[in-house]
Amino acid sequence: MPCYLPCYTRAMFNSDDPTSANAPAIEIQGLCRNFGEFEAVRELTLSVPQGAFFGFLGPNGAGKSTTLKMLTGLLQPDKGQIQILGEDIWQTPAKVKRWIGVVPENMSLFERLTAPEYLEFVAGMYGLDASTARSRSQELLDLMQLSAKSETLLADFSHGMKKKTALAAALIHSPRILFLDEPFEGVDPVSARTLRELLQSLTARNVTVFLTSHILETVEKFCNYLGIIHKGQLLTQGPLQEVLHRINGSMPLGTASLEDAFIRLIGHEREHSDLSWLS
Amino acid sequence: MAELILPQQLKSLFQLQFRLLQRAWSQPSALQKWGVVVGLLVTGGLASVLGWVIGSLVVILGLYAREGPFQAQLVGYLFLVLLGLFGLIWLFSPLLFALQNDNLHLDLNKLLIYPLSFQSLYALHTLTGLIEPWSLFFYPLLIGLICGGVLVVGSSALAPLMILALLFGLVHIVWSRLLVNSLNSFLAHRRLRESAMLFLLLGIVVLAFLPALLGQQIENNPDWQSWLKSPAVWAQLTLPLNLLLAFSPPGMASLTLSGVLQGQYSQVYQAEVGLFLWLVLGNYFGKTLLRYMYTASPGLAEQAKTAPRWWTSDPLFFLPYDLALIVKKELRSLSRSVIGKLCFFLTPFLLVILRVFAFGPVAHAIPPTAVFLSAITYIFMTSLFLFCNLFGLDGQGFKLYLYGSLPAARLLLGKQLAMALFCSAEFLLVLYLYLVIFNPLHWETLLFVVLAFATVLVGVLGLGTLISIRFPTPLDLNQTRYRQSATPVLLAFQMLSLLLALPALAQVLAHFGQQPRSLIMAFFLGCVCLSHKLLFQFCTELFQAQKLVILEKITQPAQGQ
């Protein structure tokens, strides 16, 4: 597999390195979040080991993005504890945020900047010096095939190009954990493949990837850990094959896809209409 | 140490702010840039004059305060009123900019993912207030205070006055930020926010009339005049003034200033400690609220629910189904837009103001035709850009019209009917209000004004549709987005002026021709209807040819977004 990683190290984490090398990358205990009377996340308990490629699945409105926001310090939980590499993100947010890279739901780009300007800004926010920031942003832009658009404002980028820029920004400080909300949504197939391979090479280097996605094929092909959330409750979690086996039960191994398992787990409530009026 | 902001982060944030401002400057046209430059020069000049006036006042009042204790107290009150007034303007002026789409400023939502402590984010959010235009305007005032004090007392006053200026400025920045954030948090629902904006605008209209109303009331009421001249009234004001002096930020600033001018330094330090406590309090509430807004509240994403329908039957049952659908969709868009609401309520509101403003016989002396022709003028002047932006509110939804099999004429007719219903409802409201709060209306006058309204309406519908097709770029009134040039609206204003001259012309012709004015107005209406029929056919053909251009114009991103 080709190495797409920019040639930099994790030197910036010297002083703030996680204290426990054996701690799970993400440890969640009894996480709850309500919006008024609506229970977005209910008693969520989850553990993701370091170096895992974790796929977090669920139908629309299941609570995936709310959970991701709480994990990345963007939304305060009502109850529960979140440990990132052994540190509570809500106790020491600035410290923990140095170890993580985030592509949030809305991407949070400053749209009046160009892609190189934005990447250099993000690098600065993580304490990288100017020359490192410049070289890394150039490498990442080359990787994302955005170099030709270096003079264009982000406001004029397509959705997919914005997504790639947000991904590049999440990678620029060489994070220990990547939180990605629908990273492949709107990204062209060539770039999506490059990104998937990049993320795989990262996990091989003990970087943890936590992603939410609706593309079950991608999750099945690349993720080695899985969690499925529905109506705010975690239905199942664990290594991918174990989860599939648990859901598919007596079915022979390899005969049922993740899509079948996913639909079996959460899709049974759907009331089907034959829409007979459709010609 | 991990919680402190790093120099590299500070540099990046500074560069970001600089670039955002640079981009904002590079977007507008040369004319708009010159407008900004002239505006800044005028504002700078006004601010300098304000500083000079305040400095002079401090010198004059400082010398006057030395005459005796009564004079000193009076000067204290004057400082309180002066600083209170400017403090209030400082506090509330950010509200004018609070609800606009600001892609120019550092958005904390976008900075939350980076390794910055919330304390740093709050400090950043607050300190950027120091370089906001409304703060810059008041710096000459603070310099004036310092210079005036130093001129009266000498250089020993420099340190306490500089501390005063710093604390006074910071207190207002922190509390104005708190005020804006509280309102943003309270007005998280879109509909609530729009309604508040509507009330704010109507409040500004009332405020504009208030001095004239009060002046007239005082002029017409000798009792009020004698009451205001009574010393007892002013004696009653002493207690609240003293309380304000003791506890409010401008009161504390006044005490500091008076103390410095009279050499009472214990009073100065006490008042400055009081100001500092206001700063700490504002800081505490501001930080708590901001943390809640950004990390605990569902935030602005939570949108208002639609209001429940209070009618059960279809109010447009008399229209063909497809036409009724378009009309209802257009009316729904208008009723959910703050501009639509403002256009609808402004003229009836002004009619009420007119009734309140002209108490007694004066109101009844205004001829009803004049009232109604003014109302018609207001109705069409305020909603003219809605007539000239028939496709502006459609956005991506316009594609649906193109995908569907709806004939172009049907679509245009639906849009015109919606605008006609919108303006007719407004006119009916004006008519109802007139009958309730003014005199009963003679049937001949009623007939004439209805004919006049119908004539202008039919004329504006045709012209508005033509302009909407020819210049389809949506007119966005948001201050950071200038999309459409003013040419079509100015053109429409000229055409509207001609249409509005028709009722006056009918009156003149009726006077000289010894004919009923309604008859002449009906003739004008007939002519306008005939012109509209011809224009409508032309508009339909033009729309068929231009529909893809319209789609492109109304769906393209705005400049600088």
Side-chain angles (χ1 to χ4, degrees):
Chain A
M1 181 167 297
C3 173
Y4 293 105
L5 264 183
C7 306
Y8 49 81
T9 62
R10 297 199 192 103
M12 68 170 290
F13 294 114
N14 279 347
S15 57
D16 282 333
D17 248 353
T19 43
S20 169
N22 298 324
I26 304 161
E27 180 91 59
I28 306 171
Q29 286 289 334
L31 197 66
C32 293
R33 175 70 213 202
N34 295 349
F35 293 121
E37 289 179 4
F38 175 66
E39 289 181 305
V41 176
R42 282 188 279 174
E43 291 292 338
L44 194 140
T45 298
L46 178 72
S47 181
V48 180
Q50 288 190 38
F53 200 135
F54 188 88
F56 197 44
L57 304 180
N60 294 336
K64 300 188 297 291
S65 295
T66 305
T67 307
L68 202 73
K69 278 183 190 167
M70 290 191 279
L71 289 177
T72 51
L74 301 182
L75 184 69
Q76 198 146 26
D78 292 335
K79 215 175 87 182
Q81 227 186 4
I82 301 167
Q83 302 266 335
I84 303 289
L85 294 166
E87 289 277 347
D88 189 327
I89 187 160
W90 287 97
Q91 295 294 324
T92 50
K95 185 179 178 186
V96 175
K97 282 175 186 176
R98 284 177 198 279
W99 306 333
I100 65 175
V102 188
V103 177
E105 195 178 16
N106 55 6
M107 293 186 273
S108 293
L109 302 171
F110 284 95
E111 298 206 339
R112 291 193 189 203
L113 299 184
T114 61
E117 284 171 352
Y118 179 67
L119 292 184
E120 283 168 35
F121 160 72
V122 175
M125 293 306 292
Y126 287 103
L128 301 184
D129 62 77
S131 62
T132 314
R134 213 166 295 130
S135 64
R136 287 186 185 185
S137 70
Q138 192 51 54
E139 280 183 73
L140 284 164
L141 287 173
D142 289 341
L143 173 74
M144 303 286 175
Q145 296 163 345
L146 292 171
S147 303
K149 295 274 181 184
S150 59
E151 298 295 315
T152 310
L153 292 187
L154 294 178
D156 297 326
F157 271 20
S158 68
H159 181 76
M161 286 157 79
K162 284 181 187 173
K163 202 79 169 186
K164 288 198 276 185
T165 312
L167 264 166
L171 288 167
I172 200 162
H173 61 293
S174 182
R176 300 290 306 272
I177 305 176
L178 270 170
F179 290 98
L180 313 172
D181 200 349
E182 296 288 351
F184 306 118
E185 189 191 35
V187 177
D188 63 90
V190 178
S191 300
R193 185 173 184 152
T194 311
L195 286 173
R196 281 195 297 263
E197 287 170 354
L198 167 66
L199 294 177
Q200 270 201 318
S201 71
L202 283 171
T203 52
R205 293 160 188 239
N206 211 31
V207 172
T208 312
V209 178
F210 184 103
L211 72 85
T212 70
S213 178
H214 283 116
I215 308 170
L216 297 183
E217 282 174 14
T218 302
V219 173
E220 189 171 17
K221 197 169 172 186
F222 293 95
C223 293
N224 49 14
Y225 280 82
L226 192 68
I228 299 179
I229 187 172
H230 184 42
K231 292 183 178 171
Q233 274 187 313
L234 190 71
L235 299 182
T236 183
Q237 62 140 332
L240 179 72
Q241 291 307 323
E242 221 175 84
V243 170
L244 284 177
H245 182 66
R246 218 178 291 150
I247 299 169
N248 293 324
S250 56
M251 288 177 80
L253 210 63
T255 55
S257 66
L258 174 60
E259 187 180 333
D260 296 329
F262 182 76
I263 288 170
R264 187 166 298 132
L265 194 63
I266 63 146
H268 61 278
E269 290 174 12
R270 191 170 299 160
E271 286 177 14
H272 288 282
S273 162
D274 59 356
L275 302 179
S276 56
W277 46 269
L278 278 173
S279 57
Chain B
M1 283 300 288
E3 298 297 311
L4 286 177
I5 191 163
L6 300 172
Q8 191 59 37
Q9 290 175 322
L10 208 57
K11 188 180 161 195
S12 293
L13 287 165
F14 176 76
Q15 280 177 342
L16 173 69
Q17 179 72 82
F18 176 73
R19 278 188 178 130
L20 292 178
L21 289 173
Q22 196 186 14
R23 295 278 142 75
W25 179 249
S26 64
Q27 292 292 333
S29 67
L31 189 67
Q32 284 164 347
K33 281 182 187 172
W34 275 109
V36 173
V37 170
V38 171
L40 283 176
L41 283 176
V42 171
T43 314
L46 281 173
S48 308
V49 170
L50 179 72
W52 187 83
V53 169
I54 294 291
S56 309
L57 272 176
V58 169
V59 172
I60 294 163
L61 294 175
L63 295 173
Y64 179 65
R66 290 176 176 178
E67 302 269 315
F70 173 73
Q71 284 83 350
Q73 195 185 18
L74 200 64
V75 166
Y77 289 153
L78 281 172
F79 280 143
L80 171 68
V81 172
L82 201 71
L83 293 175
L85 178 70
F86 288 117
L88 277 178
I89 298 173
W90 197 341
L91 204 60
F92 284 98
S93 47
L95 281 181
L96 294 173
F97 305 87
L99 296 173
Q100 74 175 38
N101 172 17
D102 55 352
N103 209 6
L104 299 178
H105 305 285
L106 295 178
D107 183 348
L108 292 201
N109 259 326
K110 293 178 181 173
L111 295 177
L112 270 178
I113 58 172
Y114 303 117
L116 287 168
S117 67
F118 203 82
Q119 180 66 42
S120 305
L121 284 173
Y122 174 73
L124 199 71
H125 173 70
T126 306
L127 291 176
T128 47
L130 286 169
I131 51 165
E132 301 281 13
W134 48 85
S135 297
L136 294 175
F137 183 81
F138 289 98
Y139 291 163
L141 179 148
L142 298 178
I143 294 168
L145 283 183
I146 296 171
C147 293
V150 169
L151 280 174
V152 174
V153 180
S155 58
S156 63
L158 188 63
L161 284 175
M162 281 182 74
I163 295 170
L164 167 68
L166 185 71
L167 286 173
F168 191 69
L170 281 174
V171 162
H172 282 91
I173 287 164
V174 166
W175 280 88
S176 66
R177 284 276 197 248
L178 178 60
L179 184 72
V180 171
N181 288 338
S182 310
L183 283 175
N184 270 331
S185 172
F186 173 68
L187 302 174
H189 290 283
R190 178 176 52 82
R191 188 156 297 163
L192 201 61
R193 205 163 54 245
E194 285 178 2
S195 304
M197 204 169 181
L198 189 68
F199 281 114
L200 182 73
L201 291 170
L202 293 181
I204 290 171
V205 173
V206 172
L207 273 180
F209 282 96
L210 201 61
L213 186 65
L214 282 176
Q216 198 188 35
Q217 286 301 299
I218 292 169
E219 198 180 16
N220 294 338
N221 288 288
D223 290 349
W224 284 37
Q225 292 171 23
S226 55
W227 180 73
L228 280 173
K229 284 174 190 164
S230 158
V233 173
W234 298 103
Q236 279 175 357
L237 287 173
T238 316
L239 182 65
L241 280 176
N242 280 336
L243 281 174
L244 280 174
L245 263 183
F247 296 113
S248 71
M252 286 166 184
S254 309
L255 286 178
T256 310
L257 194 56
S258 308
V260 168
L261 293 173
Q262 291 160 38
Q264 294 172 352
Y265 282 94
S266 62
Q267 179 183 321
V268 171
Y269 296 131
Q270 278 175 25
E272 284 186 339
V273 167
L275 262 181
F276 182 71
L277 288 177
W278 271 98
L279 181 64
V280 171
L281 199 67
N283 199 47
Y284 172 75
F285 285 132
K287 200 168 76 176
T288 310
L289 180 71
L290 206 68
R291 188 189 287 272
Y292 169 77
M293 280 175 72
Y294 283 106
T295 61
S297 150
L300 298 178
E302 195 183 337
Q303 296 293 304
K305 290 184 174 67
T306 53
R309 280 175 60 165
W310 47 269
W311 67 86
T312 48
S313 60
D314 184 1
L316 299 175
F317 64 91
F318 51 90
L319 289 176
Y321 183 68
D322 54 351
L323 205 57
L325 276 181
I326 296 171
V327 173
K328 276 190 275 189
K329 179 255 160 198
E330 291 296 314
L331 289 177
R332 211 175 287 135
S333 301
L334 283 172
S335 68
R336 285 175 188 169
S337 124
V338 71
I339 297 294
K341 283 177 196 157
L342 186 67
C343 289
F344 189 84
F345 288 110
L346 190 62
T347 310
F349 188 71
L350 285 173
L351 189 73
V352 176
I353 292 275
L354 175 73
R355 180 68 184 87
V356 176
F357 177 64
F359 273 106
V362 186
H364 300 292
I366 304 172
T369 311
V371 173
F372 276 101
L373 290 186
S374 308
I376 291 171
T377 308
Y378 266 102
I379 288 172
F380 288 104
M381 293 256 291
T382 49
S383 50
L384 186 64
F385 62 92
L386 292 177
F387 282 95
C388 299
N389 269 283
L390 283 183
F391 311 104
L393 292 176
D394 287 341
Q396 295 287 345
F398 187 74
K399 284 179 186 167
L400 194 67
Y401 292 134
L402 301 189
Y403 294 145
S405 57
L406 199 71
R410 209 65 159 170
L411 174 62
L412 292 184
L413 187 64
K415 284 183 174 280
Q416 288 194 349
L417 265 176
M419 283 310 298
L421 280 174
F422 178 76
C423 286
S424 302
E426 190 181 349
F427 183 68
L428 276 177
L429 182 60
V430 168
L431 200 63
Y432 173 75
L433 281 175
Y434 185 87
L435 292 175
V436 170
I437 61 175
F438 282 83
N439 292 325
L441 204 57
H442 190 266
W443 70 267
E444 193 276 334
T445 312
L446 178 65
L447 181 64
F448 177 73
V449 295
V450 168
L451 286 170
F453 172 77
T455 308
V456 180
L457 176 66
V458 175
V460 173
L461 277 175
L463 295 171
T465 309
L466 185 62
I467 290 172
S468 300
I469 298 170
R470 183 64 190 79
F471 303 97
T473 312
L475 184 68
D476 197 321
L477 299 181
N478 193 324
Q479 290 180 27
T480 55
R481 302 165 78 190
Y482 295 97
R483 302 180 67 177
Q484 195 190 49
S485 75
T487 315
V489 180
L490 288 176
L491 190 71
F493 265 113
Q494 290 180 20
M495 293 175 175
L496 178 66
S497 311
L498 290 175
L499 284 168
L500 287 170
L502 288 179
L505 183 64
Q507 299 224 70
V508 172
L509 289 175
H511 178 73
F512 288 108
Q514 301 294 314
Q515 294 291 326
R517 57 179 182 170
S518 299
L519 188 67
I520 299 172
M521 204 64 240
F523 171 73
F524 283 155
L525 177 60
C527 294
V528 173
C529 284
L530 193 67
S531 315
H532 180 265
K533 194 173 175 341
L534 296 172
L535 195 59
F536 188 79
Q537 282 171 358
F538 174 70
C539 284
T540 309
E541 285 165 22
L542 190 64
F543 178 73
Q544 283 287 12
Q546 290 277 100
K547 57 188 180 188
L548 290 178
V549 177
I550 295 172
L551 176 68
E552 190 187 340
K553 294 280 183 191
I554 63 176
T555 52
Q556 72 186 6
Q559 282 175 8
Q561 290 292 293

